[in-house]
Amino acid sequence: MDLTGKIIAVLPANSGVSARTGNPWMSQEYVIEVPGTYPRKCVFRLFGEDRIKQFNIQMGEELTVSFDIDAHEYNGRWFNEIRAFNIQRGVVAPAAPAAQPFPAPGAPAAAPAAAPAAAASPAAEQAPFPPASEAPAEGSADDLPF
């Protein structure tokens, strides 16, 4: 998955020594804000001192972050982990525009493709629901109760 946005927070690096292997490790978390009508924020983690130095992420940079999402269980609770594996500088256009479930406030509504002008009447334009149709005659093909 990819997110494109601006880095708004660089959190302190964490480091330690693995209890299992005895090797040192380092990770650092960053907060990226994705622009839009309702900006969204996401915390992601870089793991490994070499990757932290390689990408050298700074506050205020415009980046495209490629990441994987995984979850793990600890003491009966589940936690998400968003681990970045690639960083690209600058704003990279997404492959396809994301579908928005709701139009932005104040945005004009999409017009129907081909609405006949003769069918629209002033009363129909003001009514929030279409007019009720008469119930079908008994024995008709439509026997649904609604």
Side-chain angles (χ1 to χ4, degrees), residues 87-142:
I87 307 290
Q88 295 176 349
R89 297 283 192 270
V91 177
V92 178
Q100 294 195 5
F102 302 105
S121 67
E125 289 178 12
Q126 294 175 355
F129 301 105
S133 61
E134 292 182 23
E138 273 202 43
S140 84
D142 187 11

